[in-house]
Amino acid sequence: QVQLVESGGGLVQSGGSLRLSCAASGTIFSINFMGWYRQAPGKERELVAGITSGGNTNYADSVKGRFTVSADNAKNTVYLQMNSLKPEDTAVYYCNAKVVVSRPILREYNYWGQGTQVTVSS
């Protein structure tokens, strides 16, 4: 089993910054992708930013230039630095990881964190 534990959410004023962290633990063979999704009330879950094991990143257009995703592969941890936050960034942020486990067979699974609330006040 693999667990994703998130931290770093909270309440911040518009224009402020927050840093989210997500650590993966368990029977991990390798991690192919780690990223962040968010879901606002009444809206679908959307990809915010992600990073592959090779270091390739992708971002939603709405966060380009404001958010930065990074990873510490040795710690199986992904970070999301969020700057210049706007009220429309308010949502529950979920960590996502595509993890290869070796037992019972070598296979990739998709895992989710429990979610962390980010609230940006105007």
Side-chain angles (χ1 to χ4, degrees), residues 1-118:
Q1 286 288 342
V2 173
Q3 298 80 39
L4 302 181
V5 178
E6 302 150 340
S7 61
L11 173 64
V12 65
Q13 288 188 333
S14 182
S17 298
L18 282 174
R19 189 190 193 211
L20 304 183
S21 300
C22 171
S25 63
T27 54
I28 297 170
F29 180 80
S30 64
I31 299 178
N32 291 332
F33 170 90
M34 293 191 81
W36 295 92
Y37 286 71
R38 67 185 179 187
Q39 187 166 20
K43 295 188 177 181
E44 294 186 354
R45 189 174 296 190
E46 63 173 354
L47 176 66
V48 177
I51 184 166
T52 68
S53 58
N56 295 316
T57 59
N58 63 309
Y59 296 91
D61 288 342
S62 59
V63 306
K64 285 180 180 177
R66 300 188 297 122
F67 291 11
T68 302
V69 64
S70 61
D72 184 334
N73 293 333
K75 296 181 179 180
N76 292 331
T77 299
V78 65
Y79 306 95
L80 184 66
Q81 179 65 45
M82 304 185 291
N83 298 328
S84 302
L85 282 161
K86 305 175 181 179
E88 49 264 43
D89 294 317
T90 296
V92 178
Y93 284 69
Y94 295 92
C95 178
N96 173 257
K98 302 187 189 312
V99 179
V100 177
V101 301
S102 58
R103 298 179 180 179
I105 60 173
L106 203 64
R107 177 182 169 181
E108 181 185 276
Y109 290 87
N110 196 39
Y111 292 95
W112 293 93
Q114 77 281 4
T116 185
Q117 178 70 45
V118 171

